Amino acid sequence: MSGRQSKRVWRRYALLGLTSLLLAACSEQTLPLNSLDPKGPIAERIDGLFWPVFWIAVIVFFLVQGALLAAILIFRDRNVEGQKEPKQIHGNAVLEVVWTAIPTLILAGIAVPTISAVFDLADCPTGAFEVDIVGHQWWFEYSYPDYDITTANVLVIPTETEVCANMTSDDVLHNFWIPNLNGKRYLVPGSNTELRLNADEPGEYWGQCAEFCGLSHAKMRARVIALDQSDFDLWVEEQQEVPEPPAEGTPEWEGLQVFQQAGCTGCHVLAGVNEPSRQDVTVVAPNLTHFASRSVFAGATLPSGFDPTQEEREAALASWLADPPSIKPGSFMPDLGLTADQIDALIAYLESLE
Ligand code: HEC
Ligand SMILES: [Cu+2]
């Protein structure tokens, strides 16, 4: 290939890459982490700051670049005899004052609503609905102090309700970020931070740990599911139930046997199996009491995609149980050397835990 041809091919690839990037940006479905798509009053407040500042920046950009272009064109060297040097304005006190004062005024103008929003959003209002969030490498644990519920990965909240998340970390710094609902906030070991969440509509809001926290940081995601108050109350009731033990001889029962024999109970709490009170246990792994009620697991990374089928979910669970660290590097759930039969039985059992 001649140099010219290869250049042309290269250009074509670059164009293709750029186009696909642009097209990818157009699809809502592939953009679950979009902070320009507020779904509640807190996110709207932040969005309401972003757009005015953005448009002021756009206007400033065009004014400054326009002035620059005009100066370049008007005062360019025309290569004609006798062209006079333009008037020199360096050190002109009036101009200096004016172009210092204008940005100062703009910044001061932006600062007023910004600072007021920062303070308004910093702390939870009194009487908010309380949830506790604990960051673990690499999953989020959620508990509801008023309801004695502990769950993981999927945070269920009621709609049109001020939710106050009291957050801390069990190991390193994490950061909880649900862009549709609010900005980010750190989870700090040994300290508490608060994050306000409020969703207008029932729906699923995606999130991500936003602070590098070790090997599987990228696979530490979060999901918030907002439910109407009545659906939320139902969910609470279901979560508070202790699951019935499966009938002897069923595949679910086989799974429970494996669960007890393979050491799962050394790390996982499952109400009715290994735990008298859910609050006394030091948490090292997600509570599995209502595992099947959660749409995603393993740090909200499995099953992947937007509308996984039950088969895809079970396949993902099988691959997780077979070798967790191959799915999430560094995972604190080890490869337990389970056989295919044991995995099938465990899936039957875990998927019955609604
Ligand atoms: C040494 C502790 C340990 C043992 C033993 C263990 N796990 Fe885990 N397990 C974990 C940890 C930690 C996670 C979270 C991993 C992550 O998401 O990074 C986890 C995650 C899971 C999940 C996903 C839960 C969710 O909601 O994200 C399932 C299901 C699971 N384990 C099942 C089992 C089963 C079944 C066994 C027994 C065969 C078992 N585990 C044994 C520590 C353990
Ligand atoms: Cu993290």
Side-chain angles (χ1 to χ4, degrees), residues 213-273:
C213 56
L215 265 187
S216 273
H217 158 67
K219 298 198 162 184
M220 180 166 175
R221 298 188 195 150
R223 197 66 64 86
V224 170
I225 291 187
L227 298 177
D228 281 334
Q229 190 65 47
S230 56
D231 288 338
F232 180 78
D233 294 340
L234 270 180
W235 177 84
V236 166
E237 251 172 61
E238 282 163 11
Q239 295 290 310
Q240 286 174 329
E241 273 167 25
V242 174
E244 291 283 321
E248 212 172 311
T250 56
E252 292 80 9
W253 179 83
E254 301 281 345
L256 172 57
Q257 308 313 304
V258 179
F259 191 80
Q260 286 172 312
Q261 286 150 17
C264 315
T265 49
C267 297
H268 290 281
V269 166
L270 210 159
V273 173

Side-chain angles (χ1 to χ4, degrees), residues 136-138 140 172-175 209-214 217 220:
H136 298 269
Q137 284 173 317
W138 289 275
F140 290 105
V172 298
L173 278 179
H174 297 283
N175 195 315
C209 176
E211 173 68 22
F212 179 71
C213 56
H217 158 67
M220 180 166 175

Side-chain angles (χ1 to χ4, degrees), residues 153 263-264 267-268 284-286 294 297-299 320 328 332-333 336:
N153 298 314
C264 315
C267 297
H268 290 281
V284 295
R294 309 203 280 256
F297 54 92
W320 173 256
K328 286 178 81 170
F332 291 101
M333 173 159 161
L336 293 159

Side-chain angles (χ1 to χ4, degrees), residues 307-346:
D307 269 312
T309 61
Q310 182 61 24
E311 285 80 61
E312 284 166 339
R313 180 180 161 96
E314 288 180 14
L317 185 52
S319 63
W320 173 256
L321 294 174
D323 188 3
S326 76
I327 309 267
K328 286 178 81 170
S331 173
F332 291 101
M333 173 159 161
D335 176 354
L336 293 159
L338 301 168
T339 65
D341 286 346
Q342 286 177 312
I343 290 175
D344 284 346
L346 280 170

Side-chain angles (χ1 to χ4, degrees), residues 87-103:
K87 194 175 158 211
Q88 299 300 300
I89 54 165
H90 182 79
N92 183 312
V94 176
L95 279 176
E96 299 266 352
V97 168
V98 168
W99 67 47
T100 306
I102 292 175

Side-chain angles (χ1 to χ4, degrees), residues 105-218:
L105 286 175
I106 293 175
L107 288 180
I110 291 172
V112 173
T114 306
I115 292 171
S116 111
V118 166
F119 279 95
D120 284 352
L121 298 183
D123 298 309
C124 294
T126 45
F129 180 89
E130 306 255 337
V131 296
D132 294 338
I133 305 185
V134 181
H136 298 269
Q137 284 173 317
W138 289 275
W139 54 285
F140 290 105
E141 177 197 347
Y142 311 114
S143 51
Y144 299 70
D146 298 339
Y147 298 101
D148 194 22
I149 293 172
T150 303
T151 182
N153 298 314
V154 180
L155 174 64
V156 179
I157 60 170
T159 52
E160 296 184 76
T161 304
E162 266 288 336
V163 176
C164 178
N166 297 302
M167 311 197 295
T168 187
S169 168
D170 192 34
D171 35 53
V172 298
L173 278 179
H174 297 283
N175 195 315
F176 192 73
W177 182 42
I178 309 289
N180 290 140
L181 302 182
N182 198 343
K184 323 173 166 173
R185 193 136 242 207
Y186 278 111
L187 286 73
V188 185
S191 175
N192 277 294
T193 50
E194 288 181 351
L195 179 77
R196 292 172 63 183
L197 296 169
N198 195 336
D200 287 336
E201 302 280 335
E204 216 182 79
Y205 307 104
W206 292 45
Q208 167 73 43
C209 176
E211 173 68 22
F212 179 71
C213 56
L215 265 187
S216 273
H217 158 67

